[in-house]
Amino acid sequence: MTKSLRLRGAVLSLAILAVFLLTWQIATTPAKTTAPSGADREYAELMGNSATGAALANGVPTPAQFASLAWKQLSDPFYDRGPNDKGIGVQLAYSLGRVALGYAIAALIAIPLGFFIGMSPLLYAALDPYIQLLKPISPLAWMPIALYTIKDSATSAIFVIFICSVWPMLINTAFGVAGVRKDWLNVARTLEVGPLRKAFLVILPAAAPTIITGMRISMGIAWLVIVAAEMLIGGTGIGYFVWNQWNNLSLGNVIFAVLMIGVIGMLLDSLFANLQKKVTYAE
Amino acid sequence: MPNEVLRRSAPFLKIEGLSKRYRDDLPPVFENINFRIDRGEFVCIIGHSGCGKSTILNVVAGLEEATSGVAVIDNKEITGPGLDRGVVFQNHSLLPWLTVEQNIAFAVRSRHPDWSRQKVAEHGARFLEMVGLKGASRKKPSELSGGMKQRVGIARAFAIEPQMLLMDEPFGALDALTRGVIQDELLKICAATRQTVFMITHDVDEAILLADKIMLMSNGPHARLAEIVVNTLPRERNRETIHHDPQFYRIRNHLVDFLVRRSKLIQAAGPATGEEAPVIATPGVESGAGGDAGPRAGRVKIVARGAGSPC
């Protein structure tokens, strides 16, 4: 039953893809090829696309053009020909590096701090107004402040990632730790379990599913924010790549980058979904 | 009997003038509770919901503080939880992310931090075998039935070899059949280990089967320890034959009568004035009310047991 459901789901998925590709094909097939004007041809040559067809540079590519572009990008993802011409892999690596760094710093601060907040009702009451105030601020709103104080744009991007991923982790950790069942804590108390052993062997595993959920939400937000942050700071990264290709009017590359952002985001999320499955326990 | 004098002078657990008030504007749940438990005794406490049975047990466990009064165990005042008291929780409270053997190992390692991994595992396996769950050692609690979980909880409490076992309605959530099986097991284990037990129950039959003394609490608020019923049935009790003993129904009727009638009357009579001691009753051997031969016969039994206990 479930197997056939999955199979039917897959078939339907493929059908949707086919309809989408067909629509795309119909929408992008030019009614008649018009000779590109002088300026356009010059621009196309600049982009190195004059031979393969102006459509690639000038408008939305057809599925076939897009496929060949994607293949070209994916077959050599790590080339580096100067600041404005790097492979998609290099750009993604820059973005992932920033996310990893900002996220790791956020986790290192948010999880222990969340632990203490969850354990101490006093700390919870004291810090809650600040958390509630800071949490809804768009991470990008911090950008000017970050740029002014930190002065370095690359560090500012990492700071923005940090600030956006810290809240869900902090709140979920505190919530998970505060919500550990009293019975389990009583078990630890009657067994005279020391504070460190209690923290790592009782509270941490009990709160782990909630903590990982927070980490998963944070990672999702961080990956959303990095694209916008890199559009602002420029230089490297997938966000900059998208913006640069838009300035080049290379819509094919923009679409390709957008697709890659989706794929990476999906992989990151499934990584955390797996982790979540590992720490989840049935009561 | 010199033995009796010795035993009376130093009870293992001594509760004196215990009372609990959750809010200042409300009457105390219970007040002026006094009782003693000797080593090797199995004591049940019965009373209606809200009389504070669990609170008393939690005070003994060190998980809760009384508003006034003291609890002394082995000549030391109880100020917090400790490994000398093993607790079997009402809802088993196993750690769901650990397997059965890991749950028990967690307790054993808390008791003996210096033991090797192998020694901890062997020790735990012994107690798991004792409750008949050797085959389930690698399962998670969620894969076990309610009765099995409760047995793991009992094994965990026994595995730290506490001086006293505290059980808060351990079989309350089980079906009658499972309950019977585990009661039998508990009876066997306690007979073999001479474990001192303090247990809360709602089940009159369970109390008669397991306990040497049954403490009856009047209704709360202003609950107090009204009576201590000595179980005069021979200690080698078993579920299949116990109801053939004529004492069984006398004790049972006495307990049920208390629960359905007298517990309310005592509450209605007003708060405790302070010094009244609980009545010691031996309905099992009494022919009528206030028979004098009864209490003595009951005490002799306890003394005989006390002499044999390893203390």
Short mmCIF file of all heavy atoms in Angstrom, two decimals, chain A residues 16 39 51 58 107 139 193 201:
data_model
loop_
_atom_site.label_atom_id
_atom_site.label_comp_id
_atom_site.label_asym_id
_atom_site.label_seq_id
_atom_site.Cartn_x
_atom_site.Cartn_y
_atom_site.Cartn_z
N ILE A 16 4.52 16.01 -13.41
CA ILE A 16 4.54 17.45 -13.15
C ILE A 16 5.78 18.07 -13.78
O ILE A 16 5.73 19.13 -14.42
CB ILE A 16 4.48 17.73 -11.63
CG1 ILE A 16 3.10 17.35 -11.07
CG2 ILE A 16 4.78 19.21 -11.33
CD1 ILE A 16 3.03 17.32 -9.56
N ALA A 39 24.22 46.35 -30.71
CA ALA A 39 24.64 46.43 -29.31
C ALA A 39 24.53 45.07 -28.64
O ALA A 39 25.40 44.66 -27.88
CB ALA A 39 23.79 47.45 -28.56
N ALA A 51 28.40 32.46 -30.28
CA ALA A 51 28.28 31.29 -31.16
C ALA A 51 27.07 30.44 -30.80
O ALA A 51 26.35 29.98 -31.66
CB ALA A 51 29.55 30.45 -31.08
N ASN A 58 20.42 36.82 -23.54
CA ASN A 58 19.44 37.90 -23.62
C ASN A 58 18.10 37.63 -22.99
O ASN A 58 17.35 38.54 -22.73
CB ASN A 58 19.21 38.28 -25.09
CG ASN A 58 20.29 39.24 -25.50
OD1 ASN A 58 20.91 39.88 -24.65
ND2 ASN A 58 20.54 39.32 -26.79
N ALA A 107 26.05 28.34 17.31
CA ALA A 107 25.74 27.11 18.06
C ALA A 107 26.57 27.06 19.34
O ALA A 107 26.05 26.69 20.40
CB ALA A 107 26.02 25.88 17.20
N PRO A 139 17.75 39.86 9.86
CA PRO A 139 19.21 39.80 9.98
C PRO A 139 19.91 40.86 9.14
O PRO A 139 20.96 41.38 9.52
CB PRO A 139 19.55 38.40 9.50
CG PRO A 139 18.28 37.67 9.30
CD PRO A 139 17.14 38.59 9.49
N VAL A 193 23.10 11.72 41.00
CA VAL A 193 23.90 11.95 39.80
C VAL A 193 24.48 13.37 39.86
O VAL A 193 23.77 14.32 40.15
CB VAL A 193 23.02 11.77 38.54
CG1 VAL A 193 23.77 12.14 37.29
CG2 VAL A 193 22.51 10.35 38.45
N LEU A 201 23.95 13.29 30.44
CA LEU A 201 23.32 11.98 30.28
C LEU A 201 21.81 12.01 30.47
O LEU A 201 21.12 11.07 30.11
CB LEU A 201 23.94 10.97 31.27
CG LEU A 201 25.40 10.64 31.00
CD1 LEU A 201 25.90 9.60 31.99
CD2 LEU A 201 25.62 10.14 29.58
#
